[in-house]
Amino acid sequence: MSITISIKQYLKSNPNIKYILFGGKGGLGKTTLSAATSYWLAKQGKKVVVFSTDPQASLTDIFERNIFGKGEVEIAPNLFALEIDADKKIEMYQEEIRKKIIDMYGEVPKEVDDYIKSCAAEPAMAESATFDAMVELMTSGAYDYYIFDMMPHGHAIRFLSMAEVLDTWVDKIVETRKKADEYGDVASVLSGKGGLAQEDKILEELEFIRSRLDFVSNMMKDKEHTAFFYVLIPEQMPILDTKKALEIFRAFNIPLSGIIINQVYPIELLNQPNVPSLLKNKILMQQKYMKIIKEEFGPLIRGVVPMFDREPKGLEMISKVAETLFE
């Protein structure tokens, strides 16, 4: 399949790109392509970190190194990988929230403590912990490139929309608190009491949360510094999902940099007599969907990665995927 602009050409013609995201359904190879991209950039002499926001994905498996919950681990020269322990991070959140309540009010009421404990079971808490780790990593400024293996489609939409939804919520809370402050100041003067130090702390906390949300929201829409690639395979459902995803991302004003087609069986196998008919049928089916992908997303296709004869795990196989993707 002819490609108008490859991923290599895209990055070369956009030299200010710093953040690279891979999205798509689960199980299509986002983690593999994230790892391969980070490997290739590191080989070019760039300091790179790859981070999976997908709780199901495992950079530990891909790199065959136990990096879970160990912080930023150097996999190869210039190449670092990060896999957070979301449960541990949630526990840290809980302790931080308790400490802030104690600092402001002297104690944590039992009802509030029960609520804090119950929140830990909410899926949104894991997403929030991942979101926070993502922001923390990006604002560190320690790397030339930040590669993110995003969570599957449905979660990703919620994840991406979280910034906008929470930002609106924080706006309203801040506005309400400021109005309360104005009335509080008048009341303080009339009663002869001191300022509103505790209220200021809450406002500061809300403004801090909003600044981090704005950072991610702006990053996602910043075409100059962010590249967002969508991964699909030549089958019907991933094609339909990609069409829906493009519409949703468009609604969020998130530009798509391109599409990578993964796990494509080599068409040359059709000419080999010893290839089983089952596989030949699979290849013919893929070719039918390759044609549809070209019709639907032609100018956006940035790479075609074949199905390998072995699982793409370990640096040797990841380097092969990288060679194909960036050839």
Side-chain angles (χ1 to χ4, degrees):
M1 178 180 285
S2 59
I3 296 170
T4 313
I5 301 172
S6 69
I7 187 170
K8 185 178 177 181
Q9 289 167 326
Y10 186 89
L11 294 180
K12 191 177 178 184
S13 58
N14 292 274
N16 293 326
I17 295 287
K18 196 174 182 68
Y19 311 110
I20 302 175
L21 292 80
F22 286 90
K25 271 172 69 74
L28 304 188
K30 289 184 280 88
T31 313
T32 304
L33 298 181
S34 301
T37 301
S38 61
Y39 178 89
W40 187 82
L41 287 168
K43 279 286 183 185
Q44 310 309 304
K46 305 295 182 185
K47 190 177 178 187
V48 188
V49 63
V50 57
F51 172 43
S52 181
T53 67
D54 181 357
Q56 301 301 320
S58 176
L59 288 169
T60 286
D61 287 342
I62 291 287
F63 287 121
E64 296 183 326
R65 286 272 302 273
N66 183 13
I67 61 171
F68 181 72
K70 295 183 184 299
E72 292 147 50
V73 177
E74 188 167 12
I75 302 293
N78 293 323
L79 171 56
F80 293 78
L82 174 62
E83 201 168 69
I84 66 159
D85 182 343
D87 290 339
K88 192 174 174 184
K89 202 144 180 83
I90 290 169
E91 280 178 24
M92 289 166 64
Y93 275 159
Q94 289 176 313
E95 280 311 306
E96 199 177 322
I97 291 167
R98 286 190 188 97
K99 185 174 181 307
K100 282 177 182 171
I101 292 173
I102 290 169
D103 286 347
M104 284 192 277
Y105 301 105
E107 64 173 342
V108 182
K110 186 179 179 307
E111 296 80 11
V112 175
D113 196 46
D114 289 344
Y115 179 71
I116 292 171
K117 284 175 186 168
S118 67
C119 281
E122 294 288 331
M125 280 298 282
E127 285 171 13
S128 177
T130 306
F131 186 92
D132 211 45
M134 188 175 168
V135 176
E136 204 172 298
L137 185 64
M138 288 189 293
T139 51
S140 71
Y143 298 93
D144 297 315
Y145 284 96
Y146 298 80
I147 315 292
F148 294 101
D149 164 27
M150 299 297 288
M151 51 193 65
H153 180 70
H155 291 288
I157 297 298
R158 191 165 63 174
F159 186 81
L160 295 175
S161 62
M162 188 163 64
E164 297 214 358
V165 172
L166 289 182
D167 195 42
T168 305
W169 177 76
V170 170
D171 264 344
K172 285 183 181 173
I173 298 289
V174 168
E175 190 184 340
T176 305
R177 301 305 290 183
K178 281 182 177 171
K179 280 183 182 172
D181 277 359
E182 287 171 14
Y183 291 122
D185 284 341
V186 173
S188 297
V189 171
L190 290 176
S191 63
K193 290 180 181 176
L196 297 169
Q198 288 186 344
E199 304 297 331
D200 286 345
K201 279 185 184 178
I202 294 170
L203 267 178
E204 281 173 20
E205 188 67 22
L206 290 171
E207 294 285 9
F208 176 69
I209 292 169
R210 182 165 62 180
S211 70
R212 290 166 83 84
L213 293 172
D214 284 347
F215 181 86
V216 174
S217 183
N218 292 335
M219 180 273 285
M220 293 295 300
K221 296 169 188 167
D222 181 1
K223 205 173 176 181
E224 185 184 349
H225 297 99
T226 303
F228 184 23
F229 298 105
Y230 216 75
V231 180
L232 80 164
I233 61 173
E235 288 183 12
Q236 187 177 30
M237 284 311 294
I239 293 171
L240 294 176
D241 278 339
T242 303
K243 284 175 70 176
K244 281 183 196 167
L246 294 191
E247 287 171 16
I248 293 169
F249 292 135
R250 204 173 292 125
F252 280 107
N253 293 318
I254 296 170
L256 191 73
S257 307
I259 282 171
I260 310 292
I261 312 169
N262 195 25
Q263 300 175 8
V264 180
Y265 286 100
I267 195 169
E268 295 77 22
L269 292 178
L270 287 174
N271 300 322
Q272 294 183 14
N274 57 343
V275 172
S277 58
L278 185 70
L279 182 53
K280 284 190 177 181
N281 288 337
K282 174 85 175 175
I283 295 168
L284 289 171
M285 183 204 72
Q286 280 201 340
Q287 287 305 310
K288 183 184 83 174
Y289 287 118
M290 288 291 277
K291 192 179 170 192
I292 294 172
I293 290 171
K294 190 178 177 183
E295 288 167 359
E296 293 282 350
F297 315 113
L300 280 171
I301 298 168
R302 302 278 174 261
V304 179
V305 179
M307 175 70 86
F308 288 89
D309 58 358
R310 280 186 292 150
E311 268 195 292
K313 290 183 176 180
L315 282 182
E316 188 186 340
M317 283 304 294
I318 289 299
S319 72
K320 286 185 180 177
V321 177
E323 280 171 22
T324 307
L325 184 59
F326 287 90
E327 66 183 357

